[in-house]
Amino acid sequence: MKREFDVVVIGAGPAGMSAAIGLRGQGLSVLVVDEQAAPGGQIWRAVEAVAGTPTGKLLGDEYRAGLDLAARFRASGAVYQPQTQVWQIEPGWHVYMTRDGQAEAVRANQIVLALGAQERPAPFPGWTLPGVLTVGAAQILLKTSRQVPSEPVWVAGSGPLPLLYMAQLLRAGGKIAGWLDTSPPGGWRRALPWAGAALAGWGDVSKGMAWLREIKAAGVKRVRGVTALRALGDGRLQEVEYTGGDGKTVRAPASVLLSHEGVVPSIHMTRALECDHSWNVQQACLTPNVDEWGQTSKSGVYVAGDGAGIGGAQAACVRGELAAIGIAQQTGRLTPQAALGLAAPLHEKLAGLLRLRPMLDALYPPRASIFSPPDDTIVCRCEELTAGDIRKAAAIGQPGPNQIKSYTRAGMGPCQGRQCGYTIAHILAAEQNRPVAEVGFYRIRPPLKPLTLGELASLDIEEEKA
Amino acid sequence: MNARSCDVIVIGGGLHGLSAALQVARHGKRVVVIERHWVGRHASGATAAGVRTLNRDLGELDLSLEAMDMWHDMPSLVGDDCGFHANGQICVAETPKALAALEARVSGLRASGYTHEELIGPDELRRLLPELSHHCLGASIARRDGAADPHRALRAFRHSAEAAGVTIVEHCAVTGLERAGQDWRALTEAGAWTAPYVINAAGAWSARVAAMVGDDIPLATKSSMMMVSERLRPFIKPVVAIMGRSLSFKQSDQGTLVIGGGLQGIPDLDRETSTARMQVLAKGAHAATDLFPAVRDIRIVRVWAGLEAKTEDMLPIVGPSPNAPGVFHAFGFSGHGFELVPVVGAALTDLVLRGHTDRAIGNLQAQRLMRPAGATPERSS
């Protein structure tokens, strides 16, 4: 017998938890599925276990703020199913998921995708060497098991996350070998038009300044305007080579290199569902088109949180609440007037929280070189294809990303193009002198997450028994 | 008027269209292939790429056997073996009843003089498939069968066609076909082409093209699904099917498992897409893990569904249009057209160059599926 819910929420981060609390408040039956073992998403990962510990203290107030929401979520009456992977959504809506090796299809009238963001893949020579990882991955290790690398760490990248991580790492007793700042120069000049917004969002700006002061006080070497980056080593990372803003190329010993070039919305599910998307020129990424409630072009499919556009944890919470109100209205639990009444202060709050976003986008545009890696750089990690392989294939006809798949197998591995999609699109655009938006993106095939043959077979066996 | 003239217009840039174009062009004809999307966009790019005579319908068996010879000599046609490996195709029996059905099939073939299928017992079965579950009782096998690499085949046929002088026009839909004196004029989004001959190899959309010249050929759509696993060590060489269950199971050169076998998704001809149905694929996964218990923990990384034409009798249509002289049809392969690619192109070349062919397409004429001329559908009063 297939389980049925009014709403299935996918993801138990800020947006998913907020949506679930709101939906339960309207009396709707809710299932929340999430890949992690505990609620919190990436930003508040393991917050219930860690917030009260010394690690929680060094992660800061922003992190500990998640504890209260997690408690309210636990008490909300939503059915919460952790350690569950959703691997397909079919119209109707049937949500296919796997837990403990057992597959199941759950039916829901509405779905809320609260999938958050992923770090923007930024290939550079040597990025696949052991010892090279992303800042986000290192921060998860810090949150979940307080892992601090014993050797000094190189941090290369751009955006607020490297600043926050470096501050946290220093507090945890870690050492930083150097900060290779890849933000394109002229950031404050680009950001100037939003100076007013910066004043309005002063709380966030001052947080960033405080992290900067911590980093500076620790004597971290900062190399500005880094344009090119290479990780070198035989079997694992041994050296890092970079070109600074002064044009000089330097090579230095390295055992850990963390890179980060901003975050982009997770769009795999909305793409797979063929929701409409728009191209964000400044951040060079796709964003699903959503209405004021977060509903996509597919009726009954909502996106809340960073998956609808990067806005951070607080904005994600508000978007979750708005999605809940939108669904309550769609299902007749709220009159349109009542829904608008509840939503008005939330929309105002959201606008305030997003006010700083254009400035951050202007401060930290993705640097151009991540979209044109040298020929010998691997761009599709699953199938081990280089930028040169893709450029060669781009010369046959005028292929789009889906043809490149069949020409080269790029994007056909277990990550389903999450790592290479944008890079491939940019390489094709450059080779063909076309705008990236026109080149397009992979068509996303199921399963959205790899599942085993045995797990899939369990679905058939379950049906036999029924 | 933007009319360009040539000798043959091929509608559809799948493998059948490319094969015909290539072989006609080798005889000095000027050929244009017009493809709405890109070469291999639909069935040819979504095929399981089995090269199979095993369990073929008698209506197309002779053609299939000639095609098999051509596959074994593929480099002479397109300069590449297209990744073809003749490691055999095997149809396994899990029950005494299934085994009896295979025995009846093979002895029937023997009686008609065909020797390409044979029966094997449990010992030979385990020698060929050491990891096969022990509940299997026996199998039929076609040892010269095998599988190829579909994308490599597409590249090879495309390059050979272009080298033979074929013009391939992609991203260009044919919107109409009309008479222009003795010639046909194909109207497209990029102007018109005229030629005395037209080959309709438009796959799932072929009935719409046939209708443009007055051929009303009933045609349904198939949307066969495939799933592909992560890479694993080489452990199986032949292609394996099961008598009485939907399964085709093989390992590609890349090490991935490729699992399909007639499991159907939901086709949408107008939107030109199809939707996979995981509940149906679960049956394939069930069959695969019954047969090879060792693959239970192998991860599936990709699933897709193709779009292709299906006829009432599951045999293709290969031959001249009944109503439009100079137009030849090649479609309706119903899920097993890949193996026939080289021979159907050769048969169409015969038809274009000489007006007839000695190849075994007698059972594949369009007339068999069409209402007699002048007949109207019955109406209830």
Side-chain angles (χ1 to χ4, degrees):
Chain A
M1 188 62 201
K2 200 176 254 191
R3 285 198 291 168
E4 292 199 16
F5 293 87
D6 292 324
V7 188
V8 170
V9 177
I10 305 171
M17 290 194 288
S18 300
I21 294 165
L23 291 163
R24 287 295 304 146
Q26 298 296 335
L28 293 155
S29 66
V30 181
L31 170 68
V32 179
V33 293
D34 188 65
E35 293 183 5
Q36 305 306 324
Q42 300 302 343
I43 182 110
W44 294 326
R45 191 136 162 160
V47 70
E48 292 170 317
V50 173
T53 69
T55 305
K57 188 148 191 267
L58 71 87
L59 290 171
D61 293 338
E62 291 280 283
Y63 175 74
R64 287 184 292 187
L67 192 58
D68 171 55
L69 189 67
R72 287 198 289 132
F73 166 62
R74 291 274 193 190
S76 71
V79 178
Y80 168 53
Q81 192 172 305
Q83 290 175 308
T84 300
Q85 279 212 327
V86 170
W87 44 266
Q88 170 74 338
I89 300 170
E90 287 176 8
W93 301 95
H94 303 272
V95 184
Y96 289 81
M97 55 188 77
T98 298
R99 186 190 199 185
D100 293 336
Q102 174 69 44
E104 182 192 6
V106 172
R107 218 199 72 73
N109 293 321
Q110 329 272 337
I111 47 181
V112 177
L113 306 177
L115 302 162
Q118 68 167 77
E119 289 182 279
R120 182 198 309 280
F124 56 88
W127 72 313
T128 57
L129 278 175
V132 182
L133 58 164
T134 66
V135 172
Q139 199 193 34
I140 285 170
L141 293 173
L142 188 63
K143 285 174 182 170
T144 52
S145 51
R146 200 175 172 167
Q147 275 192 44
V148 177
S150 54
E151 299 292 312
V153 171
W154 286 90
V155 176
S158 169
L161 186 68
L163 298 183
L164 171 60
Y165 173 75
M166 283 190 281
Q168 291 171 336
L169 182 70
L170 291 168
R171 290 176 218 157
K175 291 193 186 67
I176 294 165
W179 168 20
L180 307 175
D181 186 355
T182 62
S183 317
W188 289 109
R189 202 178 56 242
R190 283 194 303 275
L192 208 57
W194 289 280
L199 283 174
W202 188 246
D204 284 328
V205 174
S206 62
K207 255 183 295 173
M209 308 271 243
W211 299 333
L212 263 174
R213 275 196 302 277
E214 276 187 79
I215 294 161
K216 215 170 180 179
V220 171
K221 178 176 75 174
R222 177 182 186 180
V223 184
R224 289 170 192 265
V226 169
T227 52
L229 184 65
R230 298 181 90 88
L232 306 163
D234 186 10
R236 71 161 288 117
L237 176 70
Q238 286 158 332
E239 286 179 303
V240 58
E241 188 184 276
Y242 56 88
T243 305
D246 56 5
K248 278 192 199 132
T249 298
V250 178
R251 196 181 272 202
S255 60
V256 182
L257 169 62
L258 307 178
S259 80
H260 177 88
E261 297 287 349
V263 292
V264 293
S266 295
I267 52 160
H268 252 57
M269 282 195 193
T270 48
R271 293 284 303 177
L273 289 168
E274 296 179 338
C275 304
D276 294 340
H277 289 71
S278 296
W279 181 255
N280 177 330
V281 175
Q282 205 162 21
Q283 286 296 303
C285 66
L286 286 164
T287 310
N289 298 349
V290 295
D291 68 11
E292 59 191 315
W293 309 108
Q295 186 169 218
T296 65
S297 60
K298 298 275 177 192
S299 176
V301 178
Y302 291 74
V303 182
D306 278 2
I310 304 304
Q314 290 184 65
C317 290
V318 179
R319 282 170 166 167
E321 292 171 48
L322 284 168
I325 295 168
I327 289 171
Q329 180 194 316
Q330 200 181 13
T331 55
R333 300 257 168 175
L334 285 174
T335 64
Q337 295 89 326
L340 284 175
L342 286 172
L346 292 171
H347 278 126
E348 201 172 306
K349 188 174 171 189
L350 183 63
L353 288 165
L354 295 178
R355 201 161 289 142
L356 210 53
R357 191 49 42 184
M359 190 191 85
L360 288 173
D361 286 351
L363 267 176
Y364 303 117
R367 74 186 148 91
S369 54
I370 62 176
F371 297 126
S372 55
D375 274 348
D376 61 347
T377 305
I378 287 177
V379 293
C380 169
R381 299 177 72 130
C382 300
E383 298 288 328
E384 297 189 351
L385 294 158
T386 64
D389 294 331
I390 305 304
R391 292 191 178 108
K392 220 159 64 190
I396 312 170
Q398 202 181 39
N402 291 302
Q403 286 162 280
I404 287 293
K405 257 193 197 178
S406 53
Y407 289 173
T408 66
R409 306 184 56 81
M412 283 195 176
C415 95
Q416 275 268 21
R418 283 173 177 81
Q419 290 297 317
C420 63
Y422 287 124
T423 313
I424 302 281
H426 276 93
I427 292 176
L428 294 182
E431 292 296 301
Q432 297 166 4
N433 258 318
R434 293 200 279 166
V436 194
E438 187 191 305
V439 166
F441 199 78
Y442 292 139
R443 194 174 139 83
I444 306 301
R445 307 283 184 188
L448 295 160
K449 288 289 170 73
L451 81 159
T452 68
L453 281 164
E455 286 166 349
L456 181 56
S458 73
L459 208 58
D460 185 48
I461 294 159
E462 183 186 64
E463 201 175 58
E464 258 178 19
K465 284 185 203 148
Chain B
M1 186 72 224
N2 181 24
R4 287 149 283 189
S5 66
C6 58
D7 298 316
V8 185
I9 297 165
V10 178
I11 302 174
L15 282 168
H16 280 287
L18 292 173
S19 173
L22 156 68
Q23 297 185 64
V24 175
R26 288 243 170 98
H27 287 88
K29 298 288 181 189
R30 292 166 303 147
V31 185
V32 174
V33 175
I34 303 176
E35 162 57 46
R36 177 163 44 187
H37 290 290
W38 63 80
V39 162
R41 165 71 180 87
H42 287 291
S44 297
T47 170
V51 180
R52 175 177 65 83
T53 62
L54 188 74
N55 288 336
R56 279 274 176 187
D57 190 292
L58 289 175
E60 60 177 357
L61 183 55
D62 290 331
L63 199 64
S64 172
L65 287 168
E66 188 189 350
M68 187 56 68
D69 289 338
M70 296 174 83
W71 272 100
H72 280 263
D73 192 24
M74 191 53 96
S76 75
L77 183 63
V78 294
D80 188 278
D81 67 11
C82 298
F84 175 54
H85 292 304
N87 290 320
Q89 291 230 7
I90 295 176
C91 183
V92 169
E94 296 178 292
T95 62
K97 193 176 155 210
L99 192 61
L102 292 179
E103 280 166 354
R105 156 104 186 159
V106 173
S107 55
L109 285 173
R110 286 287 145 104
S112 309
Y114 294 106
T115 58
H116 62 285
E117 285 191 27
E118 56 184 288
L119 274 178
I120 55 174
D123 292 346
E124 172 75 344
L125 196 49
R126 290 202 220 312
R127 189 185 69 78
L128 291 167
L129 300 169
E131 306 203 32
L132 184 73
S133 167
H134 282 229
H135 77 278
C136 299
L137 304 174
S140 60
I141 182 171
R143 294 185 195 269
R144 297 186 81 220
D145 286 8
D149 178 335
H151 298 302
R152 198 163 149 187
L154 273 166
R155 279 198 299 273
F157 275 86
R158 179 191 186 125
H159 287 150
S160 298
E162 286 175 329
V166 173
T167 302
I168 297 174
V169 183
E170 292 177 285
H171 306 291
C172 177
V174 171
T175 52
L177 270 175
E178 57 185 33
R179 266 292 186 197
Q182 290 299 299
D183 290 345
W184 289 97
R185 180 184 294 127
L187 309 172
T188 82
E189 292 171 340
W193 275 269
T194 56
Y197 300 106
V198 173
I199 291 173
N200 170 19
W205 296 269
S206 291
R208 296 181 183 182
V209 175
M212 291 176 186
V213 296
D215 289 344
D216 179 13
I217 303 175
L219 199 66
T221 310
K222 279 194 93 168
S223 173
S224 297
M225 294 185 288
M226 303 289 309
M227 50 186 157
V228 177
S229 77
E230 61 192 325
R231 296 171 189 225
L232 58 158
R233 70 188 159 82
F235 88 106
I236 171 177
K237 285 190 163 171
V239 179
V240 184
I242 310 180
M243 184 67 195
R245 285 171 89 171
S246 282
L247 180 75
S248 158
F249 184 98
K250 64 172 174 285
Q251 188 169 24
S252 74
D253 278 358
Q254 287 84 21
T256 56
L257 297 178
V258 181
I259 301 169
L263 301 161
Q264 295 299 303
I266 303 163
D268 187 333
L269 272 190
D270 292 321
R271 287 180 56 235
E272 300 176 23
T273 61
S274 46
T275 308
R277 288 192 295 171
M278 299 308 290
Q279 197 81 48
V280 176
L281 279 173
K283 295 184 191 311
H286 193 174
T289 51
D290 281 354
L291 224 54
F292 297 99
V295 304
R296 281 198 66 82
D297 296 327
I298 303 303
R299 295 187 304 168
I300 303 157
V301 298
R302 196 164 70 254
V303 160
W304 72 83
L307 268 180
E308 63 179 319
K310 180 174 85 170
T311 61
E312 279 166 14
D313 59 8
M314 300 295 276
L315 289 177
I317 292 154
V318 179
S321 154
N323 294 312
V327 175
F328 302 97
H329 296 308
F331 62 86
F333 292 93
S334 308
H336 44 264
F338 185 73
E339 192 251 356
L340 298 172
V341 160
V343 77
V344 168
L348 291 166
T349 303
D350 295 339
L351 292 173
V352 167
L353 294 174
R354 294 196 294 276
H356 64 90
T357 181
D358 297 331
R359 293 189 155 94
I361 61 169
N363 299 314
L364 309 181
Q365 301 309 302
Q367 285 89 338
R368 74 182 195 277
L369 299 171
M370 295 164 70
R371 281 191 299 274
T376 50
E378 281 182 33
R379 288 199 182 90
S380 57
S381 53

